[in-house]
Amino acid sequence: MGIVAFNWAEGNNNQLTLLMNRENWENRVISEASWNGNGEILSGRCEDNGGTWFGISRGGRVAFLMSAEILFDRVDQNTGSELYPIEFLESNRSPQDFALHHVAQREEERHYNGELDDPADGWSYSLIVADMTLNSMVHIRKPSQKVPIVIIQPVPFGVHTLSPLEGLDSTESPRDLCLKSLFSQIIPDLGNNEQAHMDDSAGRFMYDANGGAYGVFRQTRLNHPSGELGMQRFGTTSTTALVVKRTREVMLFERYMDENGAWKTHDFAFNIQ
């Protein structure tokens, strides 16, 4: 789960700006953003399956995911919708081709080739894949765990939110509507100041633990859905702020919770090759 707002801009100094909060159960080991082994992909990782909720490559490919499985803590080793962002970032497919000939076909195989013991074990998610060099962005949504229907649509220019349950630009979720309104107010500042101010921009509301049920930062204690792990913290474990400029400059700031529950920050700056 989580929450994200982004501006996919046309004719603006910033091609893409994004604010994202990741949420998960405390029993999951989530690593902070770092470069992969060959230094080509920058992402955080879920250590249980090697997947990610957000990543960007030096080649200008971006992917971010809202997955309903996280709420139910359905994370299996070496599988899950969190692998799709990694697979896109590692591929050379266009966003549209990846959606049609990788994700859609993969879902058909999972549901009809006997991979699922129960159709309810399927995945439900909303995924954005984009190529900055092609100026192309696609939304891939699988609304139901039980059937392999995948909805594919190009993302129009403008300000958007992404929800794990309602997809692109929910008009029903109070959290999404709240974030869209707040995010729209800071777009002129995000990325137009020095890197140090990325923290200030994100911190205006992405860290606010007093926002209540509709706040964009979430922190609560609930019974774990397995029924075996008792009460656990479920909530925000990282905040990502991203700016991709038309000059191909990339700035990324992350605030993340380490394994001891302490909040730490770091940032990255590089150019798309």
Side-chain angles (χ1 to χ4, degrees), residues 79-101:
T79 187
S81 59
E82 287 182 301
L83 295 183
Y84 282 140
I86 297 296
E87 290 165 358
F88 173 74
L89 295 170
E90 291 177 341
S91 79
N92 294 317
R93 294 177 182 266
S94 71
Q96 185 74 13
D97 185 53
F98 180 82
L100 285 171
H101 299 117

Side-chain angles (χ1 to χ4, degrees), residues 135-151:
N135 210 32
S136 172
M137 179 179 285
V138 170
H139 172 222
I140 306 166
R141 184 184 178 205
K142 186 172 182 288
S144 173
Q145 294 173 295
K146 296 182 178 181
V147 294
I149 295 174
V150 175
I151 301 167

Side-chain angles (χ1 to χ4, degrees), residues 205-256:
F205 49 84
M206 300 299 280
Y207 309 161
D208 184 6
N210 298 314
Y214 300 148
V216 296
F217 182 96
R218 176 171 285 172
Q219 180 168 267
T220 187
R221 294 194 68 83
L222 300 168
N223 280 309
H224 189 273
S226 70
E228 299 174 354
L229 299 179
M231 294 288 288
Q232 285 202 0
R233 179 189 186 274
F234 178 83
T236 303
T237 51
S238 72
T239 296
T240 301
L242 172 75
V243 173
V244 180
K245 297 187 175 184
R246 294 203 178 275
T247 59
R248 296 201 167 194
E249 179 185 358
V250 177
M251 296 190 299
L252 186 145
F253 167 83
E254 183 184 51
R255 177 181 185 255
Y256 64 96

Side-chain angles (χ1 to χ4, degrees), residues 12-159:
N12 193 306
N13 290 334
N14 296 331
Q15 188 177 13
L16 174 64
T17 53
L18 172 147
L19 285 177
M20 181 176 190
N21 274 0
R22 153 80 179 197
E23 298 164 1
N24 55 267
W25 293 92
E26 68 178 82
N27 61 296
R28 292 297 162 194
V29 180
I30 305 298
S31 67
E32 71 272 18
S34 62
W35 292 102
N36 69 340
N38 63 10
E40 291 296 319
I41 296 173
L42 177 62
S43 71
R45 293 291 180 110
C46 173
E47 293 191 10
D48 293 277
N49 63 5
T52 190
W53 55 97
F54 170 87
I56 182 169
S57 75
R58 290 191 186 275
R61 299 168 75 79
V62 179
F64 48 98
L65 174 81
M66 293 282 107
S67 170
E69 286 88 64
I70 301 301
L71 178 61
F72 304 105
D73 206 27
R74 293 173 179 164
V75 182
D76 297 319
Q77 189 173 14
N78 300 319
T79 187
S81 59
E82 287 182 301
L83 295 183
Y84 282 140
I86 297 296
E87 290 165 358
F88 173 74
L89 295 170
E90 291 177 341
S91 79
N92 294 317
R93 294 177 182 266
S94 71
Q96 185 74 13
D97 185 53
F98 180 82
L100 285 171
H101 299 117
H102 184 79
V103 176
Q105 288 186 9
R106 180 77 183 100
E107 293 296 346
E108 290 277 344
E109 291 170 359
R110 293 190 74 245
H111 281 265
Y112 295 139
N113 290 357
E115 289 189 33
L116 300 179
D117 295 330
D118 184 336
D121 292 334
W123 305 328
S124 175
Y125 53 83
S126 287
L127 169 65
I128 296 289
V129 291
D131 189 321
M132 300 295 99
T133 65
L134 298 177
N135 210 32
S136 172
M137 179 179 285
V138 170
H139 172 222
I140 306 166
R141 184 184 178 205
K142 186 172 182 288
S144 173
Q145 294 173 295
K146 296 182 178 181
V147 294
I149 295 174
V150 175
I151 301 167
I152 299 168
Q153 63 181 130
V155 178
F157 293 113
V159 177

